Amino acid sequence: MGHTNAPTMVTSMWTITGVALLFILLRLFMKWRYGKKIGCDDGLITFSWGLLVVYTAFIHMATKHGLGYHIVDIPDDDLPIALKYLTIAEFFAVLALQISKTSFAVTLLRLAGRSWHNWLLWGIIITLNVVMGFDAIEIFASCTPVAKIWRPLLAGSCWDPRVIIDVSIFAGAYSGVMDLILAGFPIVLLWPLRIERKEKIGVSVAMSLGVFAGIAAFIKTSYLPDIGRWQDVTYSCYVLIIWAAAEVAITIVATSIPYLRLAFKDPRHRSRGYQMDDEVHMDNVIPDSKITYTASTTENMAAPIPAIARKEPSNRERNTEPVVHVQDSWNNYPAKMNSLD
C-alpha cells in the first residue's frame, strides 16, 4: 500500500493517552498523600480514561486493516473491517468525552454553595449527557442493519448522511460551550471571597483550564462539515480522530491539575495535614465578612476566632504575647473546610 497517516494516528493517540494516565495517577497520589478520600468524580475521570484507551485501541486495530491509507489502496477484504473498528471507536470516543466532562461538573457540584449553583450544574450534567448520549446512540442507530454502516452494499436503509453530520456538529458545539461555562464557574465560586487577590487568581486559573478542552472541542467540530466532502475518508479522517482523543485527554489533564497545586504549597501546611478542601471548599466561608480575626500566633491557629469573642488580655499578657491581625485566607479555615469527602 502507498502513503499512510496510520503511524501519525497511532503515535499521537497512544502518547495522548499516556499523558492523560500520568495526570490521573498524579491526581490520585496527591489525594492519597494529603488525606483526601477518592470521590465519585475521581471514579468518573478514571472511567473516561479507560474509554479513551478502548477508543485508541480500536483505532490502532483499524490501522492494521487500512485506516490511514488511501481508500483505493486498501484491500476489499480489509476495508469493511477497518470501517467497523472505526465506527466502534467513535462510539467509545463520544462516551469518553461525555464522562470526562461530567466528572468535572460533579467536582464543581460538590463545591457549590448556593442553590442556583446546584441548579445550573445539574442542568449542565443532564443536558450534556442527553446530547452526547444521543450522539453516541445515533452512530449505530443510523443504519438498519447496523452492519450496513461498514458494508454499504448490504440490503437495508440508512439516515441521510447530512442528518448524522448535523447531529455530530451540534453535539460537538454544545460540548465546547459547556466546557467554557464549567471553566468559568470556579471564578463565580471564588470571586466573592475576601482573600488575597493573588491566591484567588491562582486557584481560579488552576480550576479553569477546562477552557482548553472547549477549544479542542471547537477545533474538532470544525472538521465535521468536511466529512461529507471527503472522497478519501480513510486517509483524510486522521486529524478528526486525533482531535477527538486530544479533547478527552485535555479534559482529564485540566481537571487533574488543581490537585497538583498541593505539591507547591507551603511545607508548614503539608505538615499540618493541609488538604485540597482547605483551598477550594467554600460552603462554610462567608463572603465579605467584616469580622477581624486575631490570634496569638498564626502558626498554631486551628480556626479563626472573632476579636470580640476573645478575653481581653492583661497588661502582662499584652507585653509577652502580642496580638496579630491576620488577613482572610483559606488557610484560616482548615477546621471548617474539611467536609468535602
Side-chain angles (χ1 to χ4, degrees), residues 129-280:
N129 279 275
V130 168
V131 172
M132 300 295 288
F134 182 77
D135 187 35
I137 292 173
E138 62 91 18
I139 292 174
F140 291 110
S142 59
C143 285
T144 305
V146 175
K148 187 172 174 60
I149 298 174
W150 50 85
R151 294 185 182 273
L153 299 181
L154 285 179
S157 61
C158 290
W159 297 1
D160 186 332
R162 290 175 298 182
V163 174
I164 301 174
I165 294 173
D166 287 344
V167 169
S168 297
I169 291 174
F170 175 78
Y174 190 81
S175 173
V177 171
M178 293 303 102
D179 280 329
L180 297 182
I181 294 176
L182 291 174
F185 209 79
I187 300 176
V188 175
L189 296 174
L190 297 172
W191 216 251
L193 301 180
R194 295 180 63 245
I195 57 177
E196 292 184 359
R197 181 177 294 272
K198 180 176 67 173
E199 192 175 3
K200 186 183 299 184
I201 292 175
V203 180
S204 296
V205 170
M207 296 189 68
S208 299
L209 296 178
V211 67
F212 293 105
I215 294 173
F218 290 129
I219 293 175
K220 181 202 69 178
T221 303
S222 69
Y223 287 100
L224 293 174
D226 296 330
I227 293 178
R229 297 188 291 268
W230 284 341
Q231 299 297 319
D232 198 2
V233 64
T234 55
Y235 180 80
S236 304
C237 67
Y238 77 101
V239 177
L240 180 59
I241 290 172
I242 293 174
W243 271 110
E247 184 181 355
V248 179
I250 290 172
T251 303
I252 292 173
V253 171
T255 57
S256 299
I257 283 179
Y259 296 96
L260 309 188
R261 192 171 179 269
L262 292 174
F264 301 96
K265 297 301 293 183
D266 191 302
R268 293 174 300 174
H269 299 154
R270 294 200 295 268
S271 66
R272 293 182 300 174
Y274 184 80
Q275 297 186 12
M276 186 69 176
D277 303 336
D278 305 338
E279 187 171 322
V280 301

Side-chain angles (χ1 to χ4, degrees), residues 47-69:
F47 181 49
S48 71
W49 179 81
L51 294 171
L52 175 61
V53 172
V54 175
Y55 171 53
T56 302
F58 270 106
I59 292 298
H60 194 166
M61 289 189 293
T63 61
K64 300 294 184 180
H65 294 275
L67 184 66
Y69 290 87

Side-chain angles (χ1 to χ4, degrees), residues 93-103 128-130 132-134 136:
V94 175
L95 290 183
L97 287 169
Q98 176 181 343
I99 300 300
S100 62
K101 297 171 193 295
T102 299
S103 171
L128 183 64
N129 279 275
V130 168
M132 300 295 288
F134 182 77

Side-chain angles (χ1 to χ4, degrees), residues 89-128:
E90 289 173 353
F91 174 77
F92 283 101
V94 175
L95 290 183
L97 287 169
Q98 176 181 343
I99 300 300
S100 62
K101 297 171 193 295
T102 299
S103 171
F104 187 51
V106 169
T107 298
L108 294 177
L109 188 65
R110 297 167 65 201
L111 304 177
R114 303 183 186 277
S115 59
W116 73 267
H117 294 165
N118 289 283
W119 281 106
L120 178 59
L121 289 171
W122 272 115
I124 291 174
I125 291 172
I126 293 172
T127 58
L128 183 64

